[in-house]
Amino acid sequence: MDVAEWILVAILSLTLLVFLILGIILIVKLLGIAGEINKVVIKGQDIADNANGVVSNIKGMTSIGGAVEAFVDKYINPKLKEKTKERKEDDRRKEK
């Protein structure tokens, strides 16, 4: 091999070495970031659950919220359940 070919091989080898080292460092950093993202997601879910609990408590304490909740539970939810059952039965009949 000529000297020019050895120089090209050396340059390509050093470039490959640099990219391999940078790739390994990048993968290690991304794995660390993924762990932190997982912690943030779990904390966000806890905050959302707590917020839902607070909203439910406040809704139950207000006079309108309690009345509306009782109305929905007593009258609207049973009718919705009946309608969904009827639709399922109609779908089953149509399939046969």
Side-chain angles (χ1 to χ4, degrees), residues 13-74:
S13 298
L14 288 174
T15 306
L16 179 62
L17 178 67
V18 168
F19 279 116
L20 285 175
I21 292 172
L22 289 176
I24 291 170
I25 292 171
L26 179 66
I27 288 173
V28 170
K29 293 289 184 180
L30 287 176
L31 289 175
I33 290 173
E36 292 296 321
I37 290 172
N38 191 21
K39 290 178 187 177
V40 169
V41 168
I42 290 172
K43 187 67 173 176
Q45 289 173 344
D46 290 341
I47 291 170
D49 290 341
N50 289 338
N52 286 337
V54 169
V55 169
S56 297
N57 289 339
I58 291 173
K59 184 173 65 172
M61 284 191 280
T62 61
S63 60
I64 295 173
V68 170
E69 185 177 8
F71 177 76
V72 167
D73 288 340
K74 197 167 194 177

Side-chain angles (χ1 to χ4, degrees), residues 53-92:
V54 169
V55 169
S56 297
N57 289 339
I58 291 173
K59 184 173 65 172
M61 284 191 280
T62 61
S63 60
I64 295 173
V68 170
E69 185 177 8
F71 177 76
V72 167
D73 288 340
K74 197 167 194 177
Y75 297 106
I76 295 177
N77 282 341
K79 289 183 180 183
L80 289 175
K81 288 179 183 178
E82 289 175 13
K83 292 290 184 183
T84 55
K85 286 180 184 177
E86 290 175 5
R87 287 183 184 167
K88 287 180 183 177
E89 290 175 1
D90 290 341
D91 291 341
R92 290 180 187 157

